[in-house]
Amino acid sequence: MQGTGPAVCLGNDVDTDLIIAGRYLRTKDRSVWAEHVLEDLDPALAPRIRGAIIVAGRNIGCGSSREQAVVALREAGVVGIVAESFARIFFRNAVNVGLPVIEASVACTDGAHVAFDLDSGWVEVDGVRRPARPLSPRMVTILRAGGLVPYWRSCR
Amino acid sequence: MSTLSERVLGAPAGAYVDREVDIAFAHDGTGVLTREALREMGVEQLPHPERLRLVFDHIVPANTGTTATLQAELRGYARASGIDLSDAGGGICHQVMSEGVVRPGMVVVGADSHTCTLGALGAFATGVGATDMAAIWASGATWFRVPETIAVNLTGRLGGPAEPKDVALACVARLGMEGATYRALEFVGDGASGISMDGRLTLCNMAVETGAKTGIFYADAVTVRHLAGHGVAASPQAVEEPRYEREIAIDLSGIVPLVAVPHRVDTVREAEDVAGTPIDQVFVGTCTNGRYEDLARLARIVRGRKVAVRTLVVPASRAVLARAIATGVLADIVDAGCMVAPPGCGPCLGAHEGVMGEGEVCLSTANRNFKNRMGVGAEIYLSSVATAAVSALAGEIAVPEVA
Ligand code: SF4
């Protein structure tokens, strides 16, 4: 599983309330979440993350279990998330909706060229390659299937 | 010797296990997405409806037509598939589950991050997302990575005006917002047995604020008595002395009233240091501090006096509300000028019923003070019930003095 895109840098402890606020949760319309994604952190971010790779610091996705957070990022066109560490429910949610998550320690500058390869276990920022912490085999399978729903369908 | 999590999950830390779950619940927010995922998965028959629960708590009663329609669909789904539904007014999922549903040794998953609350009963309880929950409803099982455990060794007894919430804040401050990510917090030590069930639920509730997968107490005499009160027989769990990954010690007798200041749960100050901070609203409730002991504590402090700022009180469940009515606690609260809203999450998640305005400040007994959580541009301070009560009377953050 691979991806490339320009980096959009986020800091530490970006919680799920910041990714998608509670006031936008009462709908099944995914485009609403994509439209308001990261709004409370910086309203200018949503258009910039299409086709991009988010490079965050520690503990991204802490807080609420709301899956709308990862769905919002995926629907807004994020290619993958690289972070030093992830909150555990967010991490599991991302895999379940087919959004690649890469646990690695990299320096970030906005717009830097990021590439990752989950099978070989590395991430590269402007040509500098770093190892990524391997995912469990089950998570790799789910991610490769495109998420838990397609994985489930393929198992039946 | 195993940690309690290892014992309940039946495998050593670090192992991946597939486990049948005993209870799997979602609420009105996550339930909608769980239902959607089940539809997309093409699942029609649920193999174990008796293990599944839906609890309407996040936005109850419904605030808009859209919310009402989503809830009506989910209500219909629960009825059609035989899932037990605690409808609007029944209370917050974690509280409802603690009132005789969850028992020691169970494996419990909830589509809500504060599912860790239920570790207070000696169960392994953790939060998952909505799609995970759909797969669990469809199969009755899920996979876990058995967590490493950090022991929180409690010694001594709480004294003065400090309460379990202050211990929870101290614990979060010590570990930090990701200090226990992927780990379990096991609350042990002589001090643990002296903490009431309501207090244990408060402590386990805030385990996720350190990134932990769960917080857990051994079932003991307190647990057995609590469950007996809900008509459920249970036995204590034998205490082992496993090797923990790490141990932190908290001396309960040294705990003083604490306040988490905006916008991080782990930026904790002594209440004394923030005393005098002006506030616009006090909120007593949530899955952290909306239980009977909390309302009784509030009543004891405000009885016969009047609050100086708007004060919203939201009981965590109908059982809590009923008991507060029966004992006169609720009358004291109402007479003091507090508003009382129906059991549920209230304004905790910033969706309805007490949302804050730009620049306003709320002192809340909840577990999260993230930026904008209770309203865009508002600030949230988190405290114990006693601190909230004396602050409501003072109209600014104040420090409780007596127990
Ligand atoms: S009371 Fe607040 S923290 Fe608890 S379940 Fe409800 S919204 Fe979540």
Side-chain angles (χ1 to χ4, degrees), chain A residues 20-92:
Chain A
I20 186 72
R23 58 187 181 278
Y24 298 123
L25 296 182
R26 274 339 101 151
T27 174
K28 288 191 280 188
D29 182 353
R30 291 169 179 162
S31 67
V32 172
W33 308 328
E35 192 186 325
H36 296 287
V37 71
L38 293 166
E39 185 177 279
D40 285 356
L41 187 62
D42 176 0
L45 278 169
R48 282 182 45 214
I49 60 178
R50 181 155 299 281
I53 293 177
I54 286 182
V55 181
R58 307 190 64 82
N59 203 26
I60 185 169
C62 58
S64 150
S65 73
R66 64 187 66 161
E67 198 166 283
Q68 290 94 333
V70 287
V71 175
L73 292 168
R74 187 196 65 194
E75 294 293 307
V78 169
V79 174
I81 306 173
V82 180
E84 234 174 290
S85 67
F86 291 81
R88 56 162 290 278
I89 303 178
F90 181 86
F91 191 75
R92 203 165 154 150

Side-chain angles (χ1 to χ4, degrees), chain B residues 57-58 92-94 112 114 286-287 345 348-349 367 373:
Chain B
D57 56 3
H58 271 55
I92 305 170
C93 52
H94 313 301
D112 188 276
H114 288 104
T286 79
C287 56
C345 299
C348 177
L349 71 159
N367 43 39
R373 181 167 167 95

Side-chain angles (χ1 to χ4, degrees), chain A residues 13 58 67 85 92 153, chain B residues 40 131-132 142 178 264:
Chain A
D13 302 306
R58 307 190 64 82
E67 198 166 283
S85 67
R92 203 165 154 150
R153 295 189 76 107
Chain B
E40 287 172 11
T131 301
D132 250 337
T142 193
E178 57 154 358
R264 291 178 63 100

